[in-house]
Amino acid sequence: MSEAQQPLAVQKVQEQYPDAILDVSDARGELTITVRKDVIYELMAFLKNDSELAYNFLADVTAVDYSLMEDVLMKYDYARFMVIYHLLSTEKKERLRVKVPVHEKALSIPSMTSIWKVANWLERETYDMFGITFEEHPDLRRILMPDDYEGHPLRKDYPLRGRGERETFNFEQQNA
Amino acid sequence: MGLESQLGDNIFTTTIDKFVNWGRKNSLWPMPFGTACCAIEMMATLASKFDLSRFGAEAIRFSPRQSDLLIVSGRISIKMMPVLKKIYDQMPDPKWVISMGACASTGGVFDTYTLVQGVDGFIPVDIYIPGCPPRPEDLIDAVIQIQRIVEQESVSPKRRRGAIAS
Amino acid sequence: MHKDPDRVPGEPMTLNFGPQHPATHGTLRIVVELDGETVLKATPHLGYLHTGFEKLGEHQDYNQFIVVTDRMNYLSPLSNNFGYVLAVEKLLDIQVPKRCEYIRVILAELSRIADHMVWLGMGALDLGAFTVMLYGFEEREKLYSIFEKTTGARLTTSYTRVGGLMRDIYDGFEEDVRRFLNGFPKTLKEVHTLLTRNRIWMDRTKGVGVVSAEDAIDYGFTGPCLRASGVDWDLRKAEPYSSYEAFNFDVPIGANGDVYDRYLVRMEEMIQSGRIVRQALDNLPDGPINVDDYKISLPTKEDAYGNIEGLIHHFKIVMDGHGVQPPVGEVYCATEAPNGELGFYIVSDGSGKAYRIRIRPPSFIHFQAVPHMIEGGMVSDIVAVLGSLNIIAGELDR
Ligand code: SF4
């Protein structure tokens, strides 16, 4: 894509954060930008508050464990996880997907709770399922699995049938 | 217990048996432990078209201490199982358990890390209902089978829980 | 919080609401701290029905996963089936025939009515209106019999397929649906006379669990809950999918964002769904219901029995690892399910199984706002608020 054809969101982000964008794709009409982790908090706040973009609605936060997809791993310097935000602008009726590569060595990313309240539980779920920590999250606990559960089920190296937790779970655990 | 344990087997207790069982079986008080889709069918069974009250089992009690029939309907996760066990323990004797649907009985289509593969590993189950979800008629049938089991109960502890056959 | 200056503040009491409680409709749990009857603090706990849908999706092929979507929001399985296959079709970049789109719309709207009927019945039951529950379930039973005739199952329908439908509608479907459409507004009218101006109902729902428009967006509300707060946002209008642009319907909007408005919005939505179904029935196109591509949808029976190619295609589709194989890529597809935006995010690595399936569940997101809505209110409001949000545990915990 040449500069002139770039969608508005990409242009504006590029202006604001010149080398934050690692990749842009527009497959199937869904605009996706992959950005660096260090500016993600400011970038998301910018996407929300900029009056021309106005991505006021955070639809979803999740992650993908790319450890079995070699080409994606190679592209992003062997970052195992990718945190994925789905944004929506109710005013402009546009959607945007923001992807952030996260390395296993530095398994954390800034929390968006202070920008969108909805991020709270979505991030907790991502933490529960993938073990990615969210910095400055007000209440980062497991949400779906029991508190004493070990492992993060949606990682690719976690077996579908678990590691025997189904039979040997702690009967007395009744989190107060 | 009380008097009846002193009495032993005689015509007196067997007559009481008959009378008590007749009362019990026609006024089962279910404790619905509905968690998932099967619970919706359980509600449908209680609602107007199928109307479980025709069989005397419509007095739904959400308090385990007042009920004698536990209907486990839905998926039970490892986080839920301790709760279910606690509820079962709180129910006064004599009590019966229906495991409604494939999930409660075996885990159903969900052979995953978090689901208990059948509640019978943790609490005793009297009647299993197959189906995903079972039709309301199936649940009614199960209640009738429970009634047959109830008929064989006895107030005398010696003869309690005799041969269960349906 | 204590308005009365003479009041001696006592120890707050902690009350465990759920996970087994009649008003939780499943397995929600809220730990509430009370001062008298005022809720000081509420902490929801969830995960009691966590089933591992997303993990399971990585181990099943694309058509098998439809079965799992049924069990997610079990009040309206057809809407889930619909939303999921739309996502896969977007990934495959195929367009299903018009007739298929229309049938899907009809069934999705009917299941919206079915969903709202249970919501109405159970919500009212929790607030003490038992009759309404019987009314709601009676209408639902009528829909059940239509669904059963169409799909073969009352509840777990699994009716859609990638690239089409399991089978066409039966003869007489139209009459059955029209009979239902003529009947159910009467029930709604009766419910209106029972509840809408009822003093008790109004006292318990008006001004309870208020969410402002800004908060609703901040908390990620969608669907009837967002519209009750006065935001005009309906995916069927904003991002029309599956021929929704061809239908005329209104989107009811509330004003106050309280339980009462959510009730009114849902009541009106059922009427509007009825309108959509009528129009779809009037204009139901003829033609095939599946895409004309044997790599995606099953060949007809004549083909499968009659010639070798059909047989091979049939065999391949159902064989493990040879079925539908979308190209590498990712897709997010959102639909307007009865509860709000139901999104499926699918990452494909080009094989017959999804690399990752993520479900954006409206219930999960609505439940998050419960503390915001009940803190400072009365204990008995919890029931009203939970009822009005229509939280489905299967979708909440997945
Ligand atoms: S048996 Fe089927 S219907 Fe019942 S809870 Fe399990 S999945 Fe749902």
Side-chain angles (χ1 to χ4, degrees):
Chain A
M1 269 189 264
S2 73
E3 278 300 311
Q5 293 168 326
Q6 295 280 29
L8 184 67
V10 181
Q11 278 176 27
K12 294 206 96 173
V13 171
Q14 230 145 23
E15 235 165 69
Q16 203 74 16
Y17 303 97
D19 37 42
I21 296 188
L22 300 171
D23 190 31
V24 179
S25 107
D26 203 357
R28 300 179 182 84
E30 297 187 353
L31 185 59
T32 308
I33 56 174
T34 311
V35 299
R36 282 207 335 262
K37 192 171 81 177
D38 44 359
V39 292
I40 180 68
Y41 184 82
E42 295 82 33
L43 196 146
M44 294 292 265
F46 169 72
L47 287 173
K48 180 184 179 186
N49 296 327
D50 187 274
S51 57
E52 274 181 85
L53 301 177
Y55 286 108
N56 57 343
F57 192 96
L58 178 64
D60 196 15
V61 179
T62 185
V64 179
D65 175 359
Y66 275 108
S67 53
L68 300 182
M69 263 167 108
E70 199 59 36
D71 45 337
V72 180
L73 280 181
M74 283 207 322
K75 195 164 167 194
Y76 296 110
D77 186 26
Y78 288 90
R80 176 172 174 186
F81 297 99
M82 196 80 96
V83 176
I84 289 151
Y85 301 91
H86 283 106
L87 296 178
L88 164 71
S89 160
T90 49
E91 197 182 308
K92 305 272 187 289
K93 302 192 175 161
E94 301 256 356
R95 284 180 189 268
L96 173 70
R97 183 185 303 130
V98 180
K99 299 171 75 174
V100 188
V102 179
H103 282 267
E104 207 173 1
K105 276 170 269 143
L107 209 51
S108 70
I109 185 166
S111 164
M112 300 297 150
T113 9
S114 48
I115 309 180
W116 288 281
K117 289 196 186 118
V118 61
N120 189 332
W121 279 17
L122 292 168
E123 291 179 347
R124 270 177 74 187
E125 190 188 344
T126 311
Y127 163 72
D128 192 357
M129 292 293 146
F130 291 93
I132 299 170
T133 44
F134 289 83
E135 295 150 20
E136 296 182 28
H137 188 287
D139 181 26
L140 198 62
R141 285 178 291 129
R142 281 191 180 273
I143 187 163
L144 293 179
M145 305 309 294
D147 285 343
D148 60 352
Y149 197 79
E150 276 166 31
H152 300 284
L154 280 181
R155 288 189 177 188
K156 284 285 170 185
D157 53 8
Y158 198 87
L160 173 64
R161 297 192 172 79
R163 300 194 172 119
E165 295 88 350
R166 292 193 304 206
E167 291 78 32
T168 58
F169 62 90
N170 181 0
F171 240 115
E172 295 314 308
Q173 65 95 24
Q174 289 275 350
N175 28 2
Chain B
M1 322 264 143
L3 184 64
E4 62 273 18
S5 55
Q6 313 283 314
L7 285 171
D9 279 353
N10 57 37
I11 183 146
F12 183 55
T13 48
T14 45
T15 316
I16 290 187
D17 273 359
K18 276 216 185 92
F19 178 67
V20 169
N21 288 343
W22 171 80
R24 264 188 191 143
K25 89 174 203 215
N26 290 314
S27 67
L28 288 167
W29 283 25
M31 151 88 208
F33 195 85
T35 60
C37 355
C38 280
I40 305 292
E41 283 298 68
M42 186 169 64
M43 288 196 292
T45 317
L46 294 165
S48 32
K49 186 167 170 193
F50 294 97
D51 197 7
L52 198 55
S53 54
R54 291 179 292 159
F55 304 92
E58 89 283 17
I60 291 288
R61 284 296 172 272
F62 281 91
S63 154
R65 290 175 210 279
Q66 300 167 0
S67 42
D68 50 8
L69 171 63
L70 178 65
I71 305 180
V72 185
S73 53
R75 316 188 272 273
I76 305 295
S77 73
I78 57 176
K79 202 168 174 180
M80 197 62 173
M81 194 61 225
V83 181
L84 174 58
K85 177 91 169 91
K86 197 168 229 172
I87 283 178
Y88 177 77
D89 289 344
Q90 283 177 349
M91 287 170 60
D93 272 325
K95 54 191 168 190
W96 299 273
V97 180
I98 292 179
S99 157
M100 175 179 182
C103 285
S105 310
T106 66
V109 288
F110 302 108
D111 190 3
T112 57
Y113 54 94
T114 158
L115 273 209
V116 169
Q117 302 292 301
V119 291
D120 52 359
F122 304 94
I123 58 172
V125 175
D126 294 284
I127 298 289
Y128 302 87
I129 317 178
C132 180
R135 295 184 58 91
E137 291 91 333
D138 289 334
L139 179 58
I140 293 174
D141 179 51
V143 170
I144 292 172
Q145 294 204 36
I146 289 282
Q147 292 184 344
R148 288 207 197 115
I149 296 177
V150 174
E151 268 170 15
Q152 293 158 15
E153 279 292 326
S154 167
V155 292
S156 156
K158 278 192 220 137
R159 283 185 291 117
R160 185 160 296 156
R161 289 263 165 161
I164 290 170
S166 58
Chain C
M1 208 141 295
H2 315 300
K3 294 199 186 81
D4 181 1
D6 299 332
R7 200 180 167 294
V8 187
E11 280 267 295
M13 180 184 127
T14 309
L15 182 79
N16 204 352
F17 189 88
Q20 174 59 32
H21 184 281
T24 61
H25 308 170
T27 55
L28 322 176
R29 176 174 177 219
I30 307 177
V31 178
V32 280
E33 243 172 65
L34 300 175
D35 176 45
E37 276 205 63
T38 313
V39 180
L40 297 179
K41 189 168 180 296
T43 322
H45 291 264
L46 52 160
Y48 290 96
L49 194 58
H50 180 54
T51 317
F53 287 175
E54 293 178 9
K55 187 85 180 172
L56 205 57
E58 297 169 10
H59 293 262
Q60 289 186 331
D61 74 28
Y62 286 96
N63 273 319
Q64 281 174 328
F65 193 69
I66 295 170
V67 172
V68 176
T69 60
D70 281 342
R71 284 136 181 95
M72 203 165 56
N73 178 345
Y74 29 75
L75 293 188
S76 50
L78 283 159
S79 304
N80 302 340
N81 297 163
F82 182 29
Y84 168 69
V85 293
L86 272 184
V88 181
E89 281 156 12
K90 198 169 170 193
L91 194 60
L92 283 161
D93 210 0
I94 52 174
Q95 181 72 35
V96 295
K98 267 274 176 272
R99 182 177 175 82
C100 170
E101 286 191 341
Y102 273 58
I103 295 176
R104 284 177 181 182
V105 166
I106 293 173
L107 287 166
E109 292 305 322
L110 286 179
S111 75
R112 187 185 313 276
I113 298 175
D115 185 297
H116 286 358
M117 280 291 177
V118 180
W119 157 82
L120 175 69
M122 298 320 284
L125 177 67
D126 292 344
L127 297 185
F130 190 76
T131 325
V132 180
M133 178 211 148
L134 294 179
Y135 281 8
F137 264 93
E138 196 181 319
E139 291 304 317
R140 197 177 153 88
E141 281 299 337
K142 292 179 193 154
L143 281 173
Y144 265 156
S145 59
I146 294 177
F147 292 162
E148 193 178 7
K149 276 190 190 166
T150 318
T151 73
R154 283 160 58 88
L155 200 113
T156 42
T157 49
S158 302
Y159 183 55
T160 56
R161 291 287 179 273
V162 175
L165 298 169
M166 182 181 100
R167 61 172 180 230
D168 209 336
I169 47 176
Y170 60 91
D171 298 334
F173 175 83
E174 199 178 325
E175 291 86 80
D176 284 359
V177 174
R178 282 193 198 275
R179 196 170 321 122
F180 172 77
L181 289 180
N182 292 335
F184 91 94
K186 290 192 201 104
T187 309
L188 289 189
K189 216 177 233 161
E190 257 176 275
V191 172
H192 270 305
T193 53
L194 280 171
L195 294 181
T196 308
R197 314 268 352 134
N198 181 323
R199 266 244 74 82
I200 305 170
W201 181 258
M202 285 168 82
D203 282 351
R204 291 211 55 187
T205 56
K206 275 213 158 168
V208 170
V210 180
V211 183
S212 69
E214 294 85 63
D215 277 344
I217 289 192
D218 210 13
Y219 274 111
F221 273 29
T222 44
C225 296
L226 179 65
R227 293 192 279 275
S229 296
V231 182
D232 184 2
W233 181 255
D234 187 322
L235 289 175
R236 292 172 296 176
K237 289 268 190 208
E239 302 172 347
Y241 51 90
S242 194
S243 300
Y244 266 114
E245 67 280 354
F247 306 115
N248 263 327
F249 63 99
D250 300 325
V251 179
I253 311 281
N256 308 318
D258 56 4
V259 174
Y260 188 71
D261 277 14
R262 286 193 276 275
Y263 155 75
L264 287 182
V265 165
R266 280 205 166 92
M267 291 291 274
E268 183 55 31
E269 264 185 23
M270 288 193 253
I271 300 284
Q272 297 301 330
S273 292
R275 266 179 78 188
I276 299 177
V277 175
R278 269 221 177 84
Q279 292 168 44
L281 281 180
D282 289 342
N283 305 319
L284 188 64
D286 283 328
I289 49 159
N290 287 327
V291 287
D292 190 18
D293 182 350
Y294 286 167
K295 289 208 162 37
I296 291 166
S297 61
L298 280 176
T300 56
K301 275 277 171 281
E302 297 85 70
D303 258 2
Y305 289 138
N307 68 52
I308 184 72
E309 259 145 58
L311 184 66
I312 291 174
H313 281 305
H314 181 101
F315 196 60
K316 278 191 97 169
I317 279 192
V318 294
M319 202 158 77
D320 195 17
H322 290 262
V324 182
Q325 288 176 330
V328 182
E330 57 191 342
V331 73
Y332 178 81
C333 178
T335 54
E336 183 76 28
N339 269 343
E341 174 173 334
L342 177 70
F344 285 90
Y345 172 59
I346 304 178
V347 180
S348 155
D349 57 356
S351 69
K353 291 171 181 164
Y355 186 77
R356 166 104 169 88
I357 289 188
R358 155 81 189 165
I359 302 148
R360 182 222 189 255
S363 291
F364 182 82
I365 286 159
H366 292 160
F367 193 39
Q368 174 165 205
V370 163
H372 170 79
M373 295 159 83
I374 59 177
E375 277 171 15
M378 293 288 163
V379 161
S380 53
D381 294 346
I382 303 177
V383 177
V385 167
L386 280 180
S388 75
L389 291 179
N390 193 20
I391 301 201
I392 311 296
E395 190 184 67
L396 172 77
D397 296 339
R398 284 152 292 130

mmCIF file of all heavy atoms in Angstrom, chain B residues 35-39 41 73-75 100-104 107-110 131-134, chain C residues 71 74 155-156, ligand 1:
data_model
loop_
_atom_site.group_PDB
_atom_site.id
_atom_site.type_symbol
_atom_site.label_atom_id
_atom_site.label_comp_id
_atom_site.label_asym_id
_atom_site.label_seq_id
_atom_site.Cartn_x
_atom_site.Cartn_y
_atom_site.Cartn_z
ATOM 1 N N THR B 35 -27.435 -25.930 36.207
ATOM 2 C CA THR B 35 -26.362 -25.009 35.871
ATOM 3 C C THR B 35 -26.410 -24.579 34.420
ATOM 4 O O THR B 35 -26.091 -23.452 34.125
ATOM 5 C CB THR B 35 -24.995 -25.649 36.142
ATOM 6 O OG1 THR B 35 -24.889 -26.812 35.355
ATOM 7 C CG2 THR B 35 -24.830 -25.995 37.586
ATOM 8 N N ALA B 36 -26.751 -25.451 33.513
ATOM 9 C CA ALA B 36 -26.593 -25.083 32.102
ATOM 10 C C ALA B 36 -27.857 -25.375 31.318
ATOM 11 O O ALA B 36 -28.949 -25.276 31.852
ATOM 12 C CB ALA B 36 -25.388 -25.793 31.521
ATOM 13 N N CYS B 37 -27.663 -25.748 30.065
ATOM 14 C CA CYS B 37 -28.790 -25.893 29.148
ATOM 15 C C CYS B 37 -29.858 -26.832 29.687
ATOM 16 O O CYS B 37 -31.040 -26.598 29.511
ATOM 17 C CB CYS B 37 -28.319 -26.394 27.793
ATOM 18 S SG CYS B 37 -26.570 -26.548 27.581
ATOM 19 N N CYS B 38 -29.443 -27.913 30.345
ATOM 20 C CA CYS B 38 -30.429 -28.848 30.858
ATOM 21 C C CYS B 38 -31.381 -28.163 31.823
ATOM 22 O O CYS B 38 -32.531 -28.556 31.944
ATOM 23 C CB CYS B 38 -29.727 -29.993 31.568
ATOM 24 S SG CYS B 38 -29.084 -31.223 30.448
ATOM 25 N N ALA B 39 -30.898 -27.151 32.525
ATOM 26 C CA ALA B 39 -31.757 -26.456 33.476
ATOM 27 C C ALA B 39 -32.921 -25.787 32.770
ATOM 28 O O ALA B 39 -34.008 -25.666 33.333
ATOM 29 C CB ALA B 39 -30.947 -25.421 34.244
ATOM 30 N N GLU B 41 -34.443 -26.982 30.182
ATOM 31 C CA GLU B 41 -35.446 -28.015 29.960
ATOM 32 C C GLU B 41 -36.121 -28.400 31.269
ATOM 33 O O GLU B 41 -37.294 -28.740 31.291
ATOM 34 C CB GLU B 41 -34.793 -29.253 29.322
ATOM 35 C CG GLU B 41 -34.502 -29.094 27.852
ATOM 36 C CD GLU B 41 -35.741 -28.874 27.010
ATOM 37 O OE1 GLU B 41 -36.356 -27.800 27.157
ATOM 38 O OE2 GLU B 41 -36.099 -29.736 26.215
ATOM 39 N N SER B 73 -28.651 -30.926 36.950
ATOM 40 C CA SER B 73 -28.859 -30.797 35.515
ATOM 41 C C SER B 73 -27.885 -29.777 34.984
ATOM 42 O O SER B 73 -27.965 -28.603 35.308
ATOM 43 C CB SER B 73 -30.296 -30.387 35.220
ATOM 44 O OG SER B 73 -30.635 -29.255 35.950
ATOM 45 N N GLY B 74 -26.976 -30.229 34.197
ATOM 46 C CA GLY B 74 -26.037 -29.312 33.581
ATOM 47 C C GLY B 74 -24.610 -29.724 33.852
ATOM 48 O O GLY B 74 -24.328 -30.674 34.563
ATOM 49 N N ARG B 75 -23.713 -28.956 33.259
ATOM 50 C CA ARG B 75 -22.298 -29.261 33.380
ATOM 51 C C ARG B 75 -21.803 -28.885 34.769
ATOM 52 O O ARG B 75 -22.164 -27.851 35.294
ATOM 53 C CB ARG B 75 -21.518 -28.442 32.354
ATOM 54 C CG ARG B 75 -22.142 -28.411 31.007
ATOM 55 C CD ARG B 75 -21.238 -27.761 30.016
ATOM 56 N NE ARG B 75 -21.409 -26.324 29.941
ATOM 57 C CZ ARG B 75 -22.300 -25.724 29.170
ATOM 58 N NH1 ARG B 75 -23.117 -26.448 28.435
ATOM 59 N NH2 ARG B 75 -22.382 -24.422 29.114
ATOM 60 N N MET B 100 -29.237 -35.453 35.465
ATOM 61 C CA MET B 100 -29.987 -35.177 34.245
ATOM 62 C C MET B 100 -29.041 -34.744 33.135
ATOM 63 O O MET B 100 -28.323 -33.768 33.280
ATOM 64 C CB MET B 100 -30.999 -34.078 34.540
ATOM 65 C CG MET B 100 -31.766 -33.627 33.320
ATOM 66 S SD MET B 100 -32.940 -32.352 33.766
ATOM 67 C CE MET B 100 -33.726 -32.069 32.190
ATOM 68 N N GLY B 101 -29.057 -35.454 32.061
ATOM 69 C CA GLY B 101 -28.289 -35.046 30.889
ATOM 70 C C GLY B 101 -26.920 -35.680 30.815
ATOM 71 O O GLY B 101 -26.375 -36.181 31.801
ATOM 72 N N ALA B 102 -26.381 -35.629 29.619
ATOM 73 C CA ALA B 102 -25.108 -36.279 29.371
ATOM 74 C C ALA B 102 -23.984 -35.652 30.193
ATOM 75 O O ALA B 102 -23.104 -36.351 30.682
ATOM 76 C CB ALA B 102 -24.780 -36.188 27.888
ATOM 77 N N CYS B 103 -24.020 -34.332 30.361
ATOM 78 C CA CYS B 103 -22.909 -33.674 31.042
ATOM 79 C C CYS B 103 -22.815 -34.078 32.499
ATOM 80 O O CYS B 103 -21.752 -34.403 32.998
ATOM 81 C CB CYS B 103 -23.075 -32.163 30.978
ATOM 82 S SG CYS B 103 -22.705 -31.537 29.373
ATOM 83 N N ALA B 104 -23.948 -34.039 33.180
ATOM 84 C CA ALA B 104 -23.907 -34.386 34.591
ATOM 85 C C ALA B 104 -23.520 -35.847 34.754
ATOM 86 O O ALA B 104 -22.839 -36.225 35.699
ATOM 87 C CB ALA B 104 -25.261 -34.109 35.232
ATOM 88 N N GLY B 107 -19.990 -36.033 31.510
ATOM 89 C CA GLY B 107 -19.198 -34.964 30.903
ATOM 90 C C GLY B 107 -19.683 -34.610 29.512
ATOM 91 O O GLY B 107 -19.327 -33.568 28.990
ATOM 92 N N GLY B 108 -20.463 -35.487 28.917
ATOM 93 C CA GLY B 108 -21.078 -35.176 27.636
ATOM 94 C C GLY B 108 -20.078 -34.883 26.540
ATOM 95 O O GLY B 108 -19.030 -35.529 26.458
ATOM 96 N N VAL B 109 -20.399 -33.900 25.719
ATOM 97 C CA VAL B 109 -19.495 -33.588 24.610
ATOM 98 C C VAL B 109 -18.267 -32.823 25.076
ATOM 99 O O VAL B 109 -17.415 -32.499 24.273
ATOM 100 C CB VAL B 109 -20.207 -32.772 23.523
ATOM 101 C CG1 VAL B 109 -21.185 -33.627 22.773
ATOM 102 C CG2 VAL B 109 -20.885 -31.562 24.086
ATOM 103 N N PHE B 110 -18.185 -32.517 26.334
ATOM 104 C CA PHE B 110 -17.093 -31.670 26.794
ATOM 105 C C PHE B 110 -16.063 -32.473 27.571
ATOM 106 O O PHE B 110 -16.128 -32.566 28.784
ATOM 107 C CB PHE B 110 -17.621 -30.539 27.654
ATOM 108 C CG PHE B 110 -18.617 -29.694 26.936
ATOM 109 C CD1 PHE B 110 -19.945 -29.747 27.259
ATOM 110 C CD2 PHE B 110 -18.214 -28.853 25.921
ATOM 111 C CE1 PHE B 110 -20.860 -28.980 26.584
ATOM 112 C CE2 PHE B 110 -19.128 -28.086 25.248
ATOM 113 C CZ PHE B 110 -20.447 -28.144 25.574
ATOM 114 N N GLY B 131 -29.335 -38.004 27.231
ATOM 115 C CA GLY B 131 -29.881 -36.965 26.364
ATOM 116 C C GLY B 131 -29.133 -35.677 26.540
ATOM 117 O O GLY B 131 -28.523 -35.425 27.565
ATOM 118 N N CYS B 132 -29.205 -34.861 25.496
ATOM 119 C CA CYS B 132 -28.455 -33.615 25.547
ATOM 120 C C CYS B 132 -29.236 -32.535 24.831
ATOM 121 O O CYS B 132 -28.982 -32.277 23.691
ATOM 122 C CB CYS B 132 -27.086 -33.812 24.909
ATOM 123 S SG CYS B 132 -26.083 -32.341 24.912
ATOM 124 N N PRO B 133 -30.160 -31.885 25.448
ATOM 125 C CA PRO B 133 -30.700 -32.169 26.770
ATOM 126 C C PRO B 133 -31.773 -33.239 26.689
ATOM 127 O O PRO B 133 -32.353 -33.442 25.638
ATOM 128 C CB PRO B 133 -31.342 -30.834 27.143
ATOM 129 C CG PRO B 133 -31.792 -30.283 25.844
ATOM 130 C CD PRO B 133 -30.796 -30.733 24.832
ATOM 131 N N PRO B 134 -32.069 -33.902 27.788
ATOM 132 C CA PRO B 134 -33.185 -34.840 27.801
ATOM 133 C C PRO B 134 -34.488 -34.078 27.587
ATOM 134 O O PRO B 134 -34.594 -32.915 27.968
ATOM 135 C CB PRO B 134 -33.143 -35.424 29.208
ATOM 136 C CG PRO B 134 -31.842 -35.033 29.769
ATOM 137 C CD PRO B 134 -31.425 -33.795 29.094
ATOM 138 N N ARG C 71 -24.509 -24.719 23.000
ATOM 139 C CA ARG C 71 -24.539 -24.856 24.457
ATOM 140 C C ARG C 71 -23.985 -23.622 25.147
ATOM 141 O O ARG C 71 -23.702 -23.663 26.338
ATOM 142 C CB ARG C 71 -23.752 -26.109 24.836
ATOM 143 C CG ARG C 71 -24.540 -27.357 24.557
ATOM 144 C CD ARG C 71 -23.721 -28.417 23.894
ATOM 145 N NE ARG C 71 -24.508 -29.612 23.622
ATOM 146 C CZ ARG C 71 -25.098 -29.854 22.455
ATOM 147 N NH1 ARG C 71 -25.007 -28.991 21.464
ATOM 148 N NH2 ARG C 71 -25.784 -30.952 22.269
ATOM 149 N N TYR C 74 -27.870 -20.887 25.884
ATOM 150 C CA TYR C 74 -28.840 -21.943 25.604
ATOM 151 C C TYR C 74 -30.269 -21.423 25.565
ATOM 152 O O TYR C 74 -31.193 -22.181 25.457
ATOM 153 C CB TYR C 74 -28.689 -23.086 26.598
ATOM 154 C CG TYR C 74 -28.179 -22.663 27.941
ATOM 155 C CD1 TYR C 74 -28.991 -22.016 28.828
ATOM 156 C CD2 TYR C 74 -26.850 -22.893 28.285
ATOM 157 C CE1 TYR C 74 -28.513 -21.609 30.049
ATOM 158 C CE2 TYR C 74 -26.365 -22.488 29.513
ATOM 159 C CZ TYR C 74 -27.210 -21.850 30.387
ATOM 160 O OH TYR C 74 -26.726 -21.445 31.588
ATOM 161 N N LEU C 155 -33.806 -27.811 21.803
ATOM 162 C CA LEU C 155 -32.933 -26.796 22.379
ATOM 163 C C LEU C 155 -31.576 -26.762 21.701
ATOM 164 O O LEU C 155 -31.094 -25.713 21.293
ATOM 165 C CB LEU C 155 -32.761 -27.133 23.860
ATOM 166 C CG LEU C 155 -32.303 -25.979 24.706
ATOM 167 C CD1 LEU C 155 -33.411 -25.606 25.629
ATOM 168 C CD2 LEU C 155 -31.094 -26.338 25.493
ATOM 169 N N THR C 156 -30.955 -27.902 21.568
ATOM 170 C CA THR C 156 -29.624 -27.912 20.983
ATOM 171 C C THR C 156 -29.773 -28.130 19.483
ATOM 172 O O THR C 156 -29.694 -29.253 18.998
ATOM 173 C CB THR C 156 -28.786 -29.013 21.626
ATOM 174 O OG1 THR C 156 -29.603 -30.159 21.749
ATOM 175 C CG2 THR C 156 -28.339 -28.602 22.996
HETATM 176 S S1 SF4 D 1 -26.168 -32.553 28.574
HETATM 177 FE FE1 SF4 D 1 -26.254 -31.184 26.802
HETATM 178 S S2 SF4 D 1 -27.994 -29.869 27.236
HETATM 179 FE FE2 SF4 D 1 -27.392 -30.801 29.157
HETATM 180 S S3 SF4 D 1 -25.981 -29.386 30.117
HETATM 181 FE FE3 SF4 D 1 -24.792 -30.830 28.924
HETATM 182 S S4 SF4 D 1 -24.514 -29.835 26.966
HETATM 183 FE FE4 SF4 D 1 -26.186 -28.804 27.976
#
